[in-house]
Amino acid sequence: MRFLVIDGNSIVNRAFYGIKILTTKDGRYTNAIQGFMNILLNLRNEYKPDRVAVAFDMKAPTFRHKMYSEYKAGRKGMPEELHQQMPVLKELLRDLGYKIVECEGWEADDILGTLSHACTGDDKCFIATGDRDSLQLISDNSTVLLATSKGTVVFDKSKLFDEYGVEPYQMIELKALQGDSSDNIPGIPGVGPKTAGDLIKKYRTVDDIYENIETLDIKEKLREKLTANKDLAYLSRELGTIRTDAPICLDFDEYTVSGGDDSKAIKLLSSLEMFKMIEKIGFTADDMTAQIQESDETVEVENIASFSDMEKSDSLYFVFEYNEQEIVRAAVNNGKKIYCVENNNFTFASELSSIFFDESIEKTVYNVKLLYEWAFRHGFELKGKINDTMLAGYVLSPTGGDYSPSRLAVEYSAIIPKVETDSEIIKDAAAMPALWGRLLDRINENGQADLLWNIEIPFARVLASMEVKGFLVDRQGIIDYGEVLQSKIDGLRDEIYTLAGEEFNINSPKQLGEILFNKLGIPSKKKTKSGYSTSADVLEELADSYPIVASVLEYRTLAKLKSTYCEGLVKEIAPDGRIRSTLNQTETRTGRISSAEPNLQNIPVRTPVGKEMRKFFVAPEGCKLIDSDYSQIELRVLAHIADDKAMIDAFNNNADIHTITAAQVFNMPVEMVTPLMRSKAKAVNFGIVYGI
């Protein structure tokens, strides 16, 4: 049996302080819940426990407070932002079937101790905590998974001895002498970690020290401190000892993850806008759809041969099914009935376009960009105002990730009529009227109507036209440049073999590490489980001192350019000589677009060989490429919102804001600011804008 025991308070504190403050649209804090759940799921994936318990402290005083009134005195209270998340986290854990263990008068540490102590025989207990106090619980059956700023450190007996030079039980003896300022355990005044460590390593326990106090080989001053504060030493040891007899359930079957309520968990996660977490936990699209609130009404579905057979209304709601950018099926909701039309006749496109040319009908769709693309490919434009539930969802919550009608219906509590079908597009079409009403109300409440209709939806049309048009490239130029790169790669490979004194697979981190750090004796900077690290940051530190390392870095750069950008882009060139990328409008929380399949936003520009790639993106004959950019638009917005006089003056005087910032940060005249200083100041400026 594998038992994961989690120190709830410790881990949630780590999560809270490790992630910047996150809130829902209505202002509820979520960063601690988000972080805790990520840690929990990672632990489950890695250690695959059969049982899980999450221990929390209670507000009531414990036996330690009664023993020593100053115990934990002076500790700051829990921040309100975290305090608000605690009951929500516990509710979520219960809904997911986890057993929360609390025991009045006892600490979570004692619960960890009691559960781990109960693991015997072949049982393995994994204690997840950020508190080193739990290291005393290490045994043949129990391992401590200590959360640190550098990641999780796995502590068994061997690791503990390597780091502290003591056995697990001696961690209590150390605390008896050195105390613990975080828990306000006094220890011996004037005895710090080094002195305590030396004493325990030599004399093993506090009992041994005091039984032989007169004959110990120590300085007289230390002997006096120990003698005068014997009571404090024993008090501190008792306060620091984690108990293993807390009155809690020891029937391990009670800690099986079961008995939760998936429906409540999904609803709670949805209300917290943690939709990616829903996926991480393993809930499916069907699980999400099951949470949609249904009305008592049932909407009728009719299959029709053409759009002319459909009853029109003032408002129509469309969901389309695409295959390779062609509409293969449409589901249209007129508010009374859903009509399904297959694209299997030559009038489909003209009939659909005529509906979108009719400006007397209000049209609402899911994913208007795909519809714009389809229209451009068929040689016509869509007229009038078109609503888009996907873009409305993105405007309301740029971090949502999934803006499907079913998911948005759950998030915005849209009440949907029943529909007797398994078809996803029909279900989505059924959701559209109620969903759009909920989204529209929220858009208007937030004052985001202008953003949606005058920026995002028109921008979707622009992106669609860009995707359809594509980017003209010099195919032969790319091929020729790939051959030039291959020649340089071959030369570098031969040079590396000569410097290494043998041939090997340069692309193999293991073989490269063996050559560099074993055979050639180059000092290793980092070692991983699989061998020496040959990551870019490691090699860059060594490149100036070792020619072979510099050659390996250049080899990697050129090989990446050739495979990704020369060979990769050539495969993407269409018969008309153009490359077409998908431009994602709803992917980034900052409002920027992203590019994929292929990504045309990461064509190298910082190196001379990388810049060469940009020459192969060309304009047709008689045209020119125009390269334009907003001048530090985010910082101008920041200056306006913050009403920062210094920034406003800098912009009004056409000064470089990053140089001005660098001059202030480094306290030197503007003319002495170096490019590196400016670059650092730029990182600070944009870091502030994007919430670093």
Side-chain angles (χ1 to χ4, degrees):
M1 189 270 296
R2 297 168 69 85
F3 197 1
L4 174 62
V5 183
I6 298 174
D7 185 345
N9 290 83
S10 174
I11 296 300
V12 80
N13 267 282
R14 289 246 163 214
F16 176 76
Y17 289 106
I19 301 177
K20 69 176 185 178
I21 292 292
L22 300 173
T23 63
T24 59
K25 291 186 289 291
D26 57 6
R28 286 173 293 156
Y29 298 104
T30 60
N31 60 315
I33 300 170
Q34 182 88 35
F36 185 95
M37 290 305 302
N38 278 327
I39 293 169
L40 171 58
L41 294 177
N42 288 339
L43 289 170
R44 288 203 65 178
N45 288 337
E46 184 163 357
Y47 294 97
K48 297 179 172 47
D50 307 298
R51 308 286 187 272
V52 181
V54 187
F56 285 100
D57 290 326
M58 297 186 75
K59 284 186 178 180
T62 68
F63 63 87
R64 292 183 181 87
H65 293 91
K66 296 172 183 176
M67 187 186 305
Y68 181 56
S69 61
E70 296 301 304
Y71 180 64
K72 293 192 175 181
R75 271 201 179 184
K76 291 183 179 179
M78 184 181 290
E80 180 59 26
E81 297 90 340
L82 175 55
H83 183 262
Q84 291 180 19
Q85 297 181 65
M86 292 299 286
V88 183
L89 173 61
K90 291 178 182 179
E91 179 185 352
L92 175 60
L93 290 171
R94 291 189 180 101
D95 289 343
L96 291 170
Y98 290 97
K99 181 67 179 290
I100 290 175
V101 191
E102 298 170 315
C103 189
E104 187 170 347
W106 299 72
E107 295 183 50
D109 282 351
D110 301 311
I111 296 170
L112 304 182
T114 303
L115 292 174
S116 63
H117 183 69
C119 289
T120 58
D122 294 331
D123 297 336
K124 295 295 178 185
C125 182
F126 300 93
I127 303 167
T129 181
D131 189 349
R132 289 179 182 264
D133 288 350
S134 293
L135 296 178
Q136 64 184 270
L137 299 176
I138 293 170
S139 69
D140 293 336
N141 296 85
S142 298
T143 302
V144 171
L145 310 175
L146 188 69
T148 73
S149 58
K150 295 181 180 179
T152 300
V153 180
V154 180
F155 271 92
D156 55 14
K157 286 183 176 182
S158 175
K159 173 65 177 175
L160 182 71
F161 193 82
D162 288 345
E163 185 154 327
Y164 288 94
V166 298
E167 299 295 324
Y169 76 90
Q170 291 176 299
M171 295 298 292
I172 311 167
E173 310 298 328
L174 288 174
K175 184 167 287 196
L177 299 180
Q178 70 190 39
D180 184 345
S181 58
S182 65
D183 288 341
N184 204 38
I185 294 176
I188 304 289
V191 172
K194 186 179 185 310
T195 302
D198 291 342
L199 285 168
I200 296 304
K201 287 174 191 175
K202 190 172 183 180
Y203 300 109
R204 299 188 64 80
T205 69
V206 169
D207 289 337
D208 288 338
I209 288 171
Y210 281 107
E211 285 172 9
N212 301 284
I213 191 70
E214 298 301 331
T215 59
L216 296 182
D217 182 19
I218 58 174
K219 292 181 180 178
E220 196 57 38
K221 204 166 187 180
L222 176 57
R223 194 189 322 274
E224 290 172 3
K225 288 179 183 175
L226 291 168
T227 302
N229 295 285
K230 180 178 179 180
D231 290 345
L232 281 181
Y234 278 99
L235 172 64
S236 298
R237 187 170 71 171
E238 193 166 357
L239 291 171
T241 299
I242 294 176
R243 295 273 291 273
T244 59
D245 58 344
I248 58 173
C249 175
L250 293 180
D251 179 355
F252 289 156
D253 288 342
E254 289 295 314
Y255 299 101
T256 304
V257 180
S258 62
D261 188 323
D262 291 351
S263 174
K264 285 185 178 179
I266 292 172
K267 284 178 181 175
L268 180 54
L269 287 165
S270 298
S271 75
L272 296 172
E273 298 164 20
M274 291 169 60
F275 297 101
K276 290 183 180 177
M277 185 61 65
I278 291 174
E279 293 177 23
K280 274 188 177 182
I281 289 170
F283 292 120
T284 64
D286 288 340
D287 293 326
M288 282 292 291
T289 303
Q291 306 313 312
I292 293 176
Q293 300 179 54
E294 292 186 336
S295 67
D296 294 331
E297 300 176 21
T298 299
V299 63
E300 185 182 346
V301 180
E302 182 179 346
N303 292 309
I304 55 178
S306 73
F307 289 104
S308 59
D309 299 329
M310 179 178 70
E311 181 183 342
K312 305 286 197 305
S313 67
D314 294 339
S315 299
L316 294 177
Y317 303 86
F318 295 81
V319 179
F320 299 102
E321 184 179 322
Y322 294 86
N323 182 20
E324 294 184 354
Q325 299 152 341
E326 180 58 59
I327 295 175
V328 295
R329 192 180 183 206
V332 190
N333 191 332
N334 69 356
K336 300 175 184 176
K337 183 186 289 189
I338 296 173
Y339 297 93
C340 291
V341 188
E342 302 284 342
N343 183 5
N344 53 15
N345 62 69
F346 68 93
T347 63
F348 182 92
S350 61
E351 288 178 359
L352 184 58
S353 65
S354 68
I355 294 173
F356 278 87
F357 264 72
D358 187 344
E359 296 189 40
S360 68
I361 300 174
E362 182 178 11
K363 281 99 40 187
T364 302
V365 305
Y366 166 71
N367 197 341
V368 74
K369 180 167 76 77
L370 283 180
L371 184 62
Y372 276 128
E373 283 183 49
W374 177 84
F376 285 136
R377 287 191 173 90
H378 284 267
F380 63 86
E381 291 209 30
L382 306 176
K383 297 288 186 181
K385 180 178 175 183
I386 304 175
N387 308 319
D388 184 355
T389 57
M390 184 180 82
L391 289 179
Y394 174 66
V395 165
L396 289 169
S397 180
T399 61
D402 176 9
Y403 301 102
S404 62
S406 57
R407 206 276 285 161
L408 291 175
V410 174
E411 180 177 357
Y412 291 94
S413 302
I415 300 175
I416 311 302
K418 295 175 184 175
V419 58
E420 303 297 333
T421 181
D422 291 328
S423 167
E424 290 303 320
I425 72 162
I426 294 176
K427 288 179 182 178
D428 286 344
M432 292 288 277
L435 172 60
W436 176 246
R438 301 287 290 183
L439 293 173
L440 183 59
D441 288 344
R442 192 68 66 87
I443 288 281
N444 289 329
E445 285 172 17
N446 293 354
Q448 294 174 304
D450 187 59
L451 172 61
L452 177 62
W453 280 294
N454 294 332
I455 295 179
E456 293 295 349
I457 290 177
F459 186 45
R461 180 188 171 281
V462 173
L463 293 180
S465 69
M466 290 169 65
E467 290 186 13
V468 171
K469 191 77 173 175
F471 213 127
L472 188 64
V473 294
D474 177 2
R475 179 191 182 95
Q476 192 56 48
I478 296 175
I479 293 172
D480 292 343
Y481 186 53
E483 292 174 356
V484 170
L485 289 176
Q486 187 60 56
S487 177
K488 291 181 178 180
I489 291 166
D490 292 343
L492 282 166
R493 184 183 59 230
D494 293 341
E495 181 182 318
I496 292 167
Y497 289 164
T498 299
L499 292 169
E502 65 176 275
E503 293 187 8
F504 65 99
N505 183 358
I506 302 170
N507 298 315
S508 165
K510 186 173 182 180
Q511 291 185 36
L512 178 61
E514 287 293 321
I515 292 290
L516 296 180
F517 305 118
N518 278 346
K519 181 176 180 181
L520 300 181
I522 295 173
S524 167
K525 297 287 183 180
K526 192 189 297 182
K527 203 166 184 181
T528 66
K529 291 180 181 178
S530 56
Y532 295 103
S533 172
T534 58
S535 61
D537 59 328
V538 168
L539 297 188
E540 282 165 5
E541 285 187 43
L542 300 166
D544 290 341
S545 304
Y546 300 95
I548 188 173
V549 176
S551 296
V552 168
L553 284 172
E554 188 177 358
Y555 171 92
R556 283 182 175 178
T557 299
L558 298 185
K560 170 80 171 175
L561 274 173
K562 182 175 184 295
S563 64
T564 302
Y565 302 111
C566 292
E567 297 170 359
L569 290 179
V570 166
K571 293 175 185 175
E572 299 289 344
I573 301 174
D576 62 357
R578 290 174 176 269
I579 290 177
R580 291 173 173 83
S581 172
T582 299
L583 302 173
N584 300 306
Q585 190 174 355
T586 61
E587 199 128 304
T588 68
R589 67 182 63 188
T590 60
R592 292 172 179 260
I593 63 168
S594 65
S595 168
E597 299 176 342
N599 183 355
L600 296 184
Q601 291 182 333
N602 69 345
I603 306 299
V605 71
R606 295 173 189 258
T607 62
V609 286
K611 286 180 180 178
E612 285 294 313
M613 284 302 305
R614 299 203 167 202
K615 293 181 180 178
F616 305 121
F617 290 81
V618 297
E621 190 174 341
C623 298
K624 288 185 177 180
L625 290 177
I626 304 287
D627 180 3
S628 63
D629 189 12
Y630 282 114
S631 175
Q632 299 161 342
I633 186 67
E634 292 100 334
L635 297 181
R636 292 176 187 271
V637 172
L638 177 63
H640 168 75
I641 292 172
D643 195 26
D644 187 297
K645 303 301 181 187
M647 292 180 76
I648 292 170
D649 289 345
F651 284 126
N652 286 338
N653 292 316
N654 292 317
D656 181 83
I657 190 66
H658 300 312
T659 301
I660 296 290
T661 301
Q664 294 174 346
V665 169
F666 293 105
N667 194 26
M668 59 175 54
V670 168
E671 56 271 15
M672 292 182 67
V673 171
T674 66
L676 180 60
M677 290 176 180
R678 182 186 181 277
S679 176
K680 289 182 177 180
K682 182 177 179 180
V684 171
N685 283 335
F686 284 112
I688 291 170
V689 176
Y690 288 117
I692 198 168

